Each structure stands twice: as C-alpha cells, then as structure tokens.
Amino acid sequence: MNVAFSLYLIGCLCLANTTAPDEEFFESRIRPILHDRCIGCHGADEQHGALRLDSREAILHGGESGPAAIPGKPSESLLINAIRHDNAELRMPPNDAGGKLPDDAIDDFTAWVQSGLAWPKESLPKGTNEREVFDIQARKDRLPWIWAPPKQQLVPENTDPLVVGDIDRFIADKLRQNGLAFAPPADELTWLRRSYFAITGLPPTQEQIDSFLNDASVDRKQHAVDELLASSHFGERWARHWMDLMRYAESRGHESDFSIANAWQYRDYLIRAFNADLPYDRFVMEHIAGDLVDARQNAETGANESVIATGWAFLGEEVHSPVDIRQDECERVDNKIDVLSKSFLGLTIACARCHDHKFDAISQRDYYALSGFMLGSAFRQSRFATMVEHRQATVDLARLRENTQSILKKVLADSLQSGTSNIAGRLMASCRVLSGENSRTVAQGTGIEPTELDAWIEQLEKSKTDPTNPLRIFHDLAMRLSKSDGSTVRAAISTWETPSTTQPLGPFVVADFTQPTASEWWNSDGPGFGGRPMLEGEAVFGSPEKPITRIMQYSAAVRDPFWKPLALTASTETDSGRFGAVNRAGKTLLTPKWTLRSGNVHILVRGKLQSCAVVDSHIMNEGPLHGSLIAHLDSGEQLRWLTHNLTPYTGHRVHLELSPLGDSDLEILTLVDSPTTPNWLPQRSWIPDTAPDSIAELCNLFQADSERILQAWKSDTRNIEPRLLAIANWMVQNPNLLKIDPGTIVQTTSDYFRELDVISKSLRWDSPTAVSLADISGVDENVLIRGKPTRLGVIVNRGLPEAFGTPRVTTRQSSGRLELARQLVDPTNPLVARVMVNRVWHHLFGRGIVPTVDNFGALGDRPSHPELLDHLAWEFMHQENWSLKSLIRKIVLSKTFAQSSRINPDADNVDPFNALLHRMPIRRLEGEAIRDSLLVLSGRLDPKPYGSPIPVYLTEFIIGRGRPDVSGPLDGSGRRSIYIATRRNFLPTMMLAFDFPTPFSSIGRRNVTNVPAQSLTMLNDPFVREQANVLAGRLAKEQPNTDPQTRIELLFKAAYCRNPTSEEVDLSLQTIDLLRTEYEGEPDQIVWTEFCHAIFLANEFIYVK
Amino acid sequence: MYRRTILQKAANGFGAMAMAALLNQSSRGRELADGKTRNLLHPQQAKSVIFLFMEGAVSQVDSFDYKPMLAKHHGENPRQTIGKIEKTQFENIGTVLKSPWAFRQRGQSGLWVSDLFPQIATQADDLCVINSMTSSFPEHTSANYLLHSGVGLQGRPSMGAWVSYGLGSSNDNLPAFVVLNGGQIPSGGLDCFGNGFLPAVHQGSLLNAIGTPLANITSSEKSPERQQLKKQLVERLNRLSLSDSGGNDALEGAIANAELAARMQVAVPELLDISNETQPTQSLYGLDAEYPHTRVYGRQCLSARRMVERGVRFIELTIPMVDGYQRWDAHGGLVKNHGDNAKAVDQPIAGLLQDLKQRGLLESTLVIWAGEFGRTPFAQGGDGRDHNEFGFSVWMAGGGVRPGIAYGATDEWGYRAVEKPLEIHDLHATVLHQLGIDHTKLTYRSGGRDYRLTDVRGRVIRDILT
C-alpha cells in the first residue's frame, strides 16, 4: 500500500490510521477545522470560557455555558449554534479569528453532531482544564539512540587478512549477516577518479594520472589521498557542501533580490577553514559565537577569521518592506532555527513553532528557547581584517592616555600653583570693577596689573552667556554688589541650583553613559568610540600644540578622534537600502534591546549622528515603509536632547545603533524612551559647598576649591568631586589667565603624541567587512501560542532543547550564544559529532549511514550501521581532534570505498538500495563538478581561489525583477563554480538543471534527478560547446602532429580517466571519419570540436563509477 | 528487483522521467511510482489547468465585484464611510474611489462584469466568479509565493510542480508544467514556478512566447545530421558503459533522458509554431490586434490551447510587459494602468475560452484567472488603489466548475470578504480536487517533514463544482 497516501498528514501532525467511516469523516472534515480554527482558544494552551474542544469527552463536558454538543441533537448544541453565527452573543470563530466557517464546514459539523460525534480512540488529554504534559522522557525513549552520546564501540572481528580497517570490519560484518560480501575492488584508475571527485570535485589531469601510475610504492593510494587533502581545491569542494546547509546566497531574494553585501567573505572563510582542517568543534563554535570567542587569526593577514563564520545567520531571504514587521521577524528567526537545528543537530526544531513536535522530544518551549539566542543578536558588517589589531590598539591607547594623564595632571598642578594662589583677590577685584568702581583705582588698590585685571574682567563678561562657566555666579553677583550681604548671595546661589541636576530622567532610561555602570553594558562595534565611555574628570587630549582641550565634566560615549581615519577597503560592498547609506562599520554604538514604550527615543547628544532603530531585527530597509527607522540627528555645537520618533513601533522590540555622521565629533550621553523630552542636562556650573556670607567669602571658597583640584591632580586622584569639574575644565581652558607655562605642558605631552603617531602608523586603517552577528543583550522569548506573535505565552529561558539536559542560559548582558556554542561541542552532546560524521559519509558514498542527513528524528530514516557511526563519531571527538581530513582519509582509503560499482544481480536482490554497501554506488556529478570538469579538460580552468563573485552569465531565461545590470562572461572567467555569483533569483540555468538546491533552508542531501534539461544543457548550451572548442584548440596546439588514435586516447584519459577499449577506439575513428566527410572543406579543428563535444555528451563524463 | 521493474515498466518520456527522477532520491517516490492512476482517488474533472496569472493585482471593484456604494460615497473619507481601515503597503490613504468603468449584467447568467473587460464579459456565462478570495500578505512577493506555492516564502514547490509531481505529464515529449512567459516575470522571480524540494523535473519549464522558446532547445548544429553523427557515437559509448556497469539503472535512465531531449528539440518548436492555425482562429485570439501586447498575450493563449491538446498538465501564463507599468499594480493612474493591461489580455482570454469551448476542450480544462490580491476601494493618493488582501475576485472556467455563478461576497464596499470568505489554500485544494487529487494526500517528505501544497489548511469549495 502506498504509505505516502495512506498517512493523513497535517503538517507535522500525523493522525492514526482510521477505519470506521464516521471516524474517517471526522478525520477529514472535522478534525482539521477543530485543529485550525478552534483549538487555539479551546485547547491545551488556552481554554476560553473554560471550554476545550480537543477531545470528545471535553466537548460533551463543555465549558462555562454547559455542554458544547449533545449527540444526535445539533439544533440543541451550543457548538453548532455558535458556528452558525445565528446568535449575536455567541459567534464562533469570532470575526477577529477568521470569522465564520464556510457553509459546507458548518454542514459537516452539523452532520457530525447528528451522527453522534464520532472520534477515534486515542490517548486523551486528562481532565478538562489540565494541561497536557509533554513527556520528554517518553519521547526520548522512542529513539534512545539519538539521545545518548556516541560510545566507544567494539570493532567486529574479521579473520580475512584483507579486511583490517575498522570501517571495513563494520561493513563486512553487516554484509556477512545478510549473506553478502564485498564486491571486488574497482580498478585503480576508477578509484582514482572517484577519489578526485570525492575530495576536490575535480577530475585528475593527465599529469596527475601519470604521477599516480608512476608511483611504484605500495602506498600510492595513500600518497594520492594525502596530496588531494592537501590541495587547496579540497576546501572549495567541501565548502560548497556546507554552503548547501547554510542556504548560501549573495542576495536576499524576494522582490528585488537585493545584495547581501560581502556575503562571499563567508564562502572564503569556509574554504580556508576546510583547507586548514579547522577542528569541527571549533568550526561550530565559530559559527555560533565567532564574535564572542577568542579570535582565531589568519596566519598571514592577522584578520579575525572566527567572526566571519557568524555570517551564516544572515544568508537567508529577507523582505524589504514588510507591512507586519514582527511577523516578518518570526519568519526570519524561524529560518535561522531551521538552519541551525538541521545543520548542527540533525533535528527539525522549526516544526515546533506552533505546537509541540508530534513525534520527537521537542516541545514548543524548546523552539522559543532557541529563538532567544537569535533575538539577542543583531546584524553588522564587521571589520574582520583589522578588528584584532584595532582592539589591541584601543587597549594600548587607553593605557598610554592614562599614564600620560596622571603625569600631565601633576605637571599641570605644579604649573597652576602660582596662578591659583591669588584667584580670590582677582575675582573680588573684577567684581568690584563690574559693579561700577573705576578699574584703575581698583588695580592700584589691589596691586594687580591693569592688563591682568582687564583679562579677568573679560572672563567674567564672557561667562554670562555660558551656563557652564564657573565664573558666571560672580558676574551675576557683581551687578548687585552694593547689596551683597549674606542673604543676597545665598539667594543668588540658590537660583544656580537648577532643579534639573537632580531630576531623574523619567520613566525609562534606555542607556545612560553618564553613569559609572555604563562600562558594564558598553557595546560597540569597533574602536570608533574608544572602547569605553570617557569618564568625568578625564582630560581630553587634543593636538601637540594644544595638548589638552578640556576636562570631561560628565561621563559620555565620545567619538575618539584617533579613529576617524577608519576606512573601507576599496572593493567592499555596502549594504543595500537605507541601512547601507552610511558606513557604520567600526564606529557604532549599540544599546541593549528593549520593548518600545512611548516610542519617542530622546538622545542627549552633542554632534551629528545616525540613529538606526533596529525594530524586530529588521535591517533590509528599502521601499515605502519603515524609512523612519533611520534618523539623522544634529545637535550643532551644543549638548541637546534630540528625538528619534518611533511611535509607530510602540510595543515592538528594538535596539539602537548610533554612529557618527561624517567627520564630526560626537558625544552621546543618555537615551530615554519617554513621551516628553527630559530637561535634565549634566553640565554644571560651580557652586560652593558652604553658604558664604559675602562675595569676598565666595571668592575665597572658589580659590579653596581650585586648590583642592590641584591637590587631587597632584595625588593622582582622578575622581575630583563632580562639583569642581567646571572649575577644572575652566582652568585648562584658560592657561594664560592662570599663568600656566605652555612649554612645560607641550613638553610633557610630546612623548604621548610621538607614541600616538607610532601606533597610528603601525595600524592598517582600511578593512573589508563581512556579514556577522553582533551580540546585543539577553532576550528570552515568550512562547507564541500557535506561533502567532500577537498571542504571548510563558517566557522561556534560552537553551538547547530540554531533551539535551543542558543548563539554561540566563545572562542579561549577552545573547548567550557563547554558552550555546559550548554546549553544542561538548563531547556529551549526542548529535553534533554524529551528524557531521554522517554528512561526510553521505558525501563520499552518496548515502548517509542515516540517509536523512538533516533529520535523525522520528520522521527520518534509521541508521544502517549505527555502531559504525558511533565508532567514527567517538574517534572523531576523542582521538582525531574533530579532524575532517582524518575522517575523510580513513573512509577514502577503506576497502569499502575501493569496491567496484558493477552491479551484482544476486546482491542487488538482497540489498536493492545498496544500504549495506555491497558495492560502490554509481553517482552523477553535481552541476558544479560537471562545469569544473569541462574547464579542467579544456585547460581553461583558472585555479585562482577566493574573491568577489563572478557575475552570472545572463541568458534570456535568467530574468525577473532585480536582474543584475551586468552579465558575466560565458565561461565565468574559467573560475570554479563556487566562485560564480549565487543570486537567489538569478541562479545559473545549468546549475538549476543539475539540481542546485534552492537556497531557502538547509539541504544536506541534494536531489539527484535525471531530466531532459540536463541532456539539453550538455547538447546545446553555448558554454559546453565553447569548452569543446577550447579543448579542440588545445589539442591542435599541444598535439599538432599526433595521429587521431593518440588524440582519442588522450581525450578518454582526460574525460574518463582510463584508456579506451579497442572497440571504443574503432568507434571513435569511424566517427572522426564521418565528421571529416560532413565538415569537408572546413578546418580540422571543427571535427575535433565535434568529437570533444561527443566525449562530453557520453554518460561516463558526468557519472562516477 | 522492485526498483528496476518499475523503471523498466515506465515508458520513456516525461511521465517516466518524473518517476525515474524520484527513484534516485526518495523511498516514498518509489512507492508513488508504480502508476499515475493510483493517485486519482476520485474521478478527474480536469485534465489540464491554464493559470492566467494577473500579476500586480487587478482591482476587484473595477472588474468583477460591483459596488454601487462607492459611487454613492465617492470622495468621502473612508475612515468615516467604510470604518476601520487596515494598514496598507503605502499608507497613503485617499478618499473613497468609485470605479471609472461601468458595470453591467451579462449574458443569461446576469453576472456583473465591468466594461474594463468587454470581451471577457461576453463569456460571462462560462465564468465562475469568486468574490470572496483573501490573501495573507499585502505585498507582492510574499503574496505571489502564497498564491503559487501555498506558503509566503521562497523555495516551496509551485502549484504546477505539485500537479506535475502528482500526475506526471501525459505527453512523453513535453514537461507537465510549462510557464509561457509574456515578459513580466512576477515579483519573487522564477521561484514562483520552482520545484522547491521536489525533484527538478517538476520545475516549471519557462517557454518564451517570443524569441527562443526554451533554454538550450535550439540544436547547436547547423543540421540534424551533424548532431546525429555525434549522437550515434554517444549512444554506442553509453551502451558500452551501461553494460560495463552491469546494467546500472541510473545510466539506463540517462540514456532514455538523452533520447527524450532529442525529441523535445522537435516537439517544443512545433508546439509554439502557430503558422498552421487558421486566420479566424488567430483573429479570435487577437493576433491581428493593433496593440502589440494583445498580440503577445494572444500568442500565449493560443499556445496554451495547443499545449492542452498535447496533454501538458499545468500551463501558466505571465502577462506581457505593458509599457511603463509595473503590471496591474495601479498605485496611481488607475484608468491608464488597468485600461492598458486589460487591452492586452481581454481579447486573448475571451478568445481562449471560446476556442476551448468550440473544440470541446473547456470541459476538461480548468482555466483560472487570478491576481495575488485585490486593491483598495478607496484611493491611494488621488487616482490609484493600494493593495488589499482582505477580499478580492478571482474566476475559474471549465474543468468541472459551475458556469455563470458568483460565489461569496465582500462587504458593501468591496473591501473585506464577509460572505463565504476563502483562502488561497481553498483554491489550491479545489484545483487539485478537479484534477482528481486529494490535496491532503499529495505529500512529499523533505528535511524530516511531510509537506503539502495546502500546508495544514485548504478545503475544496464544493459549492462551485458541477
């Protein structure tokens, strides 16, 4: 019986086979509707009106209004009443949940109730209001093998002296149990061609064949395999396998197929990683948390390799202007979970988005536990080439500044000693002049030089427009000097105490860089903001001529001018859409994630910035909607509150990414989500700590405070009282007034500037960027009831599915991906190693030990050789240091892999699908390998590795919106197929014909089909024809005088890796003759072009025996 | 020997190819492979489908959904008149906009059709108009994917691919699923016609109505004899390697495949060669029309009929690239946009219906006319209409659907489907049903899950079936 058609399937929900006709009616007509339209509110998760509709018992028991149905009496049944929408008070499903059912559904329900509510026997949810318990252990017990870590295995005995390897013993054992034996070994050239395609995806060249044949040692197969594994083409072959899992593409598909800028850096990362035999556990770590682990640096360039691995997360489809942005996020997260769970765990967890998995030990909570890791992370273009050295430089710079600062402050304190000793007198004198006394008289009376006095008076005048100037109070009081008794002074001071200095920021502070805690959650992409907030009291360095520009009066995130020259390497692509309009890489500050409350985000800022609001992690911002997510704000020279209006997104999750615009300075202090703009400003003028009785006393207090600052600087106390910061800043701003010796300062800082120059010159300032994950903050997702973002269930902590038994992640500071990565590669994880070993086996034999390579769960196939898989996985982890090359070497050098592929009818009867590997399978090459083979044969192959993709050659069949402007060359510049552009909506026709997988989710096992488009491609595609011509030209050039037979032999060797039989030579010679007759009068090369084409057309060219 | 027996049993051709393709891949496919008729769990009403895809979304209130209230309240604020207005793609909501085209009752049935489609209107008695269709997405690409594949995401098999998978082709030399391209590849690109996780043989074969019909279909040699010379050698070499393999069925399948490709080189150009169609037939399809886009679409429609005659299962027509327009997507300039697009398709579609009928093919051919959603009854800006997924019109004809009826209804504004609202899944279920396929049983396992065209939804719209 036809299994596919006898199973009644609703998505993941498989219902039992039913026999009774009434039950069949229920299963086909009633249950789907109950499931789709009713259970959401009347099921295990929710019981509106205390009613459940997920069992017959529950329906008969009913809810708050009584029994929902009475068997045989539809007209008296509330359920029928409700679905008819007859009664205005009771209309189900309600209009906001899809509205009335179709008429025929209502008729079905009526008939069903009439006939007695048939419902098949099944285990029922217990009790009307009890939640069904998802029994994790019971689920695990269904497939205990996949949930237990691989164990070391006993290798089966074998007395055959030729069966010595572990793999062969396991295989031989199963064959023997089934009355089978190994097929005879394939001849060595067949093995060679097989191994070449398996390991590098390329055929052996003439020279490589000869070198193999000339190797007289018994180990020549090992030599060949070692050479292949060491070839840089190995990485190209195996990276492509992995790219199928990561649904790799360089564009976002959907309507206009916008680019994923620099996606190809990820492809190059993979090639390097496979070539370097990066241990697979590390490879997984880098994919999940490459931005959080200690960077693995490229030995040649020093680039951060690890971070590039995280780019996989963003290689999926993206919608440019989704109306429902949150729903769209759910789809994107779903895709990431699907890729992650299939690729690394061989499980389909995305299935549990709407309900517990129907078969596997995966609950709906597990799905949302994984969602959190994605929701706490964001997209960025990371400056991977420079990030390690720039991070180090930031540390060096901070240390340098700290050292210089403490020396400088001491020098400054000494230098200010005399200037501050008589500040009080000068202030008092200036006040007197301002109050009307004659300046000359005052100068004479106090003994102050008239020019100096004038300078002080000028200072006071200036202060009246500057609220932060500590002298402002004196100017104010000087005007009322005649009445300056104690109460007047105190009254004046009280007006200076602006209420805003103590005013809280309002209902919700998103980020506050003025607080000492800011460095704990500080999150920046790159060095642009110097690696930490600038703290109040810190000196800000300027140029060698003006070494100190100011003393920070508040803490803030400040753009570090040192890093202004950060640039992008010329070929770097920019993100499409509005997010790509400003180069933000390396100079972006990220806030934690929060849920938008008022929707108005007020940013206290000085300078010009771009604020990118990443709402629901939406980044593909192009099209009519969502333009307001990006705001360009400019405060001018002043510190100001500016507002990013996000009110349409109230209630959505968001984080902000803030970057400077252009070359301007930028400081960011505080971000507040509030309906009104705060009036708080951190700038303070000076206020005495005790109430003075007169101006004279106030002047003395000022002088005392000035001296206090010098004391602090001398004793290397950075934290002078906040109250004094205005004076400190005023002092460094007015060196002349306070008689600071400029020479001393310049001299003291000269080392600093020299050192700065050395660092600057040592750095690489330009970097390409790669798509990467950024870590934002810990987000725990709600279970979304039936997968709907509008229906929130319980919150679940982040973690692997419960069945793994790993601890939950609760950190708030980070997405928690680092913890996730560690849990994945822990040797006790039952699936990660097994799944990968099985993938390698699949690629080498065309069939995995578990044939469903992406699904080890209940809907997948069972392993043919579970002990062998465990054995290999155990050795992979515990003995081979997760080395893929070791694993591949072991398999390719096995007797199993060396078998002939010739069909043995008897064995075929016992093992028709060759699951036991009684022979090698014959396999068709992938599209890439076919195209690459053509290039190898014709000699056109350009072995150059890496780099930006070669544009697709556009035919009239590669069409649609967003079609690339430029067509690539017909032969892709001779580059291997992995380097041809992978644009989602414009995949090369040849690849599509040969089962190139649609990049939408993980495809670990490609389809292998046999369709006419493939034959037509080989027959008529201009590229194939061109390569035949190039090959014929090569023959003419390299073998100008050889006889046809030699040429035929050469071609057979190049194309099929063997010598032709005499029959084949005869056939070929006949064909050459016929072609010569047909093409009489035309150049001989045409004959050979045609013959070469025929060589391509024969099946042996695209099949591997 | 089960697997080999099947392969030997299957004839060389597209029907067989579908199965041979599956043999390599899927154990479920093997169980599917032993006969197409097994899939037909009930009698087949339609043997072929012609899907006239009106990309960009035709306005229902200007074509098949007559709403006099719009004229009455023309120019009023829709928030006051209609009530709650949902978010739209462009959020540029104008006033209530009456249709610039007059509506009339047509034929015996009295179906309402506007003057936008004067020729289709003459065939009203054959139409089964559904006025209560809904979509789940208000933007083109996702809605296109939904309409084509039942899921608003890229990468799922198209309806035609499912039909190909379910039924195979009944012509050995032509694929089961053909897309005749008039020039306007929909948003979402060729993936609207993709095979998704199904084997590549089920992919929509894109035939160009103008120019080279199919990728690599044109023989690259100057004469068939020249190709033949090579093919003789190739066939001999293939036989030798087949016997050397011990009779491997993958190699055997590949040999059959090459033979099929050779036959297609003849069959496809013949299919699209309409020179032997009579002058009256060509006129019927508008091939002598003045408007060039009418001639393109006429050619497509005529070719569609020829494919039906040759047993192609699922034929989809994309619309011609009418100058200056983003398809039916009339965000502004409704009159010119819809007017020009209608001018291109009206006569050819009417001609197709008549021609199918007079040749007795309409009964066994299900013609579907649908856009991905509808348009708002109120204006976008001054003279356009925005996207509206809450209620719109599609129609079917032939293939066992009831002629001359209107099913379901939108509210009095033509805004939301209120009476018998349908989902795209229901349309899919019904189409499969008419082809003799139970939509709940046509499944394919991929990545550990069984997939259906209708996902977990879909109901056959029995009320519209004869």
Side-chain angles (χ1 to χ4, degrees), chain A residues 983-1040:
Chain A
R983 302 203 66 87
R984 273 204 157 71
N985 293 4
F986 305 95
L987 297 169
T989 313
M990 182 172 181
M991 293 305 134
L992 284 178
F994 283 102
D995 301 301
F996 185 88
T998 309
F1000 77 102
S1001 189
S1002 296
I1003 304 285
R1005 178 174 67 166
R1006 287 190 182 186
N1007 280 325
V1008 182
T1009 67
N1010 178 23
V1011 299
Q1014 293 163 3
S1015 293
L1016 288 171
T1017 302
M1018 297 309 287
L1019 205 52
N1020 296 325
D1021 191 279
F1023 165 73
V1024 179
R1025 298 301 313 254
E1026 185 189 69
Q1027 294 312 302
N1029 189 37
V1030 175
L1031 175 54
R1034 188 181 167 198
L1035 270 182
K1037 196 172 150 218
E1038 293 175 9
Q1039 311 284 335

Side-chain angles (χ1 to χ4, degrees), chain A residues 137-153 174 345-347 803-804 828-838 848-853 855-858 860-874:
Chain A
Q137 195 52 47
R139 288 299 182 87
K140 285 173 79 168
D141 290 346
R142 291 183 188 177
L143 286 176
W145 177 70
I146 71 166
W147 296 111
K151 283 192 265 307
Q152 196 171 10
Q153 301 287 318
K174 267 268 158 73
L345 297 170
L347 292 174
F804 287 91
T828 60
N829 185 303
L831 285 166
V832 170
R834 266 194 195 123
V835 166
M836 189 58 187
V837 168
N838 188 57
I849 292 173
V850 176
T852 50
V853 292
N855 187 10
F856 279 46
D861 296 333
R862 295 302 103 224
S864 54
H865 301 82
E867 303 81 9
L868 171 57
L869 185 54
D870 272 16
H871 173 77
L872 292 173
W874 191 88

Side-chain angles (χ1 to χ4, degrees), chain B residues 270 273-279 281-282 305-306 310:
Chain B
E270 189 275 331
D273 177 11
I274 55 166
S275 58
N276 58 353
E277 296 284 342
T278 64
Q279 196 54 49
T281 302
Q282 299 205 15
R305 189 214 78 211
R306 293 170 64 86
R310 284 159 181 75

